[in-house]
Amino acid sequence: GAGVSQSPSNKVTEKGKDVELRCDPISGHTALYWYRQSLGQGLEFLIYFQGNSAPDKSGLPSDRFSAERTGGSVSTLTIQRTQQEDSAVYLCASSPPGVEQYFGPGTRLTVT
Amino acid sequence: GESVGLHLPTLSVQEGDNSIINCAYSNSASDYFIWYKQESGKGPQFIIDIRSNMDKRQGQRVTVLLNKTVKHLSLQIAATQPGDSAVYFCAEMVGGGSYIPTFGRGTSLIVHP
């Protein structure tokens, strides 16, 4: 079946511009996660959605970052006034109830 | 603060050898430990997990060992193949409804044919 998809696969933006990254999770998965991965580093947790509960935003690095999940499915991560340090791969994962997460291919964001 | 880390950033092996990737964790409250494989240009892929009440779990060609006494986790890959070349991440997670994992930095496994 279809896996987690993310768009765009690559995004180049100028410093100060806003960007939106999209995640389409696996149908029926109740949990959705966003992570950030810098070059050669592990995954940094950003935000977690579980069903209709309020999202866990504890990993968002600043108020320039926000995310929403519409209808319990598609999610959008928005970064306002992008900075060069925001350059990274942004990964989305979805999960049925439990431990295993299914990751998308990521969006590589480059801020020039 | 609590952290998950790996002992070796790079591991090179010959095809057919067994590989062992190690991971140290520090949160004694973690309920689950997970290994992920990430190939170049792709998202991580779940390999295997183990609960804190277990000390060993086997999958297809992989075995995860958990030593809670020294807070150590390892992933053993039998008969390593070139397709196993990737970065391997361990992660720990406290259960209870909020399944948010903490990932280690990763170990790069290079398999030479």
Side-chain angles (χ1 to χ4, degrees):
Chain A
V4 177
S5 61
Q6 293 186 243
S7 60
S9 55
N10 283 282
K11 177 70 176 179
V12 180
T13 190
E14 292 180 352
K15 178 182 174 181
K17 295 288 181 68
D18 298 351
V19 295
E20 287 188 351
L21 312 180
R22 177 186 170 106
C23 173
D24 286 81
I26 293 172
S27 178
H29 281 190
T30 56
L32 187 147
Y33 304 76
W34 283 98
Y35 298 91
R36 179 169 69 177
Q37 184 175 34
S38 300
L39 186 64
Q41 299 297 313
L43 279 70
E44 175 190 4
F45 165 74
L46 297 177
I47 189 168
Y48 162 63
F49 296 89
Q50 174 58 267
N52 295 321
S53 302
D56 184 326
K57 305 178 182 180
S58 60
L60 295 179
S62 76
D63 59 7
R64 296 186 296 105
F65 288 72
S66 63
E68 63 178 20
R69 188 179 185 190
T70 54
S73 182
V74 173
S75 179
T76 302
L77 177 69
T78 301
I79 309 173
Q80 296 179 310
R81 305 181 301 282
T82 52
Q83 303 295 314
Q84 288 186 330
E85 60 263 28
D86 299 334
S87 296
V89 175
Y90 289 82
L91 290 158
C92 173
S94 69
S95 174
V99 172
E100 184 173 352
Q101 297 185 18
Y102 297 77
F103 283 82
T107 293
R108 180 174 298 277
L109 175 66
T110 304
V111 182
T112 62
Chain B
E2 302 285 5
S3 65
V4 176
L6 296 173
H7 295 310
L8 297 174
T10 303
L11 178 64
S12 292
V13 301
Q14 290 296 127
E15 180 178 1
D17 288 351
N18 296 333
S19 302
I20 299 176
I21 302 172
N22 296 303
C23 176
Y25 68 94
S26 58
N27 187 353
S28 57
S30 291
D31 297 306
Y32 300 93
F33 303 88
I34 311 108
W35 283 100
Y36 283 89
K37 172 186 180 183
Q38 186 175 28
E39 296 176 276
S40 181
K42 297 182 179 180
Q45 179 183 10
F46 173 90
I47 302 172
I48 192 168
D49 69 296
I50 188 169
R51 289 199 67 170
S52 59
N53 60 355
M54 302 171 66
D55 54 20
K56 181 179 180 179
R57 190 173 185 203
Q58 290 185 294
Q60 186 177 10
R61 279 202 307 120
V62 296
T63 300
V64 57
L65 300 178
L66 176 63
N67 186 331
K68 293 182 288 294
T69 302
V70 294
K71 295 190 178 73
H72 185 267
L73 184 70
S74 69
L75 177 71
Q76 301 179 2
I77 304 173
T80 315
Q81 302 168 1
D84 295 327
S85 294
V87 176
Y88 290 79
F89 293 97
C90 66
E92 61 177 331
M93 181 188 290
V94 177
S98 181
Y99 291 92
I100 300 175
T102 300
F103 285 83
R105 195 173 66 125
T107 291
S108 176
L109 176 65
I110 301 171
V111 182
H112 300 282

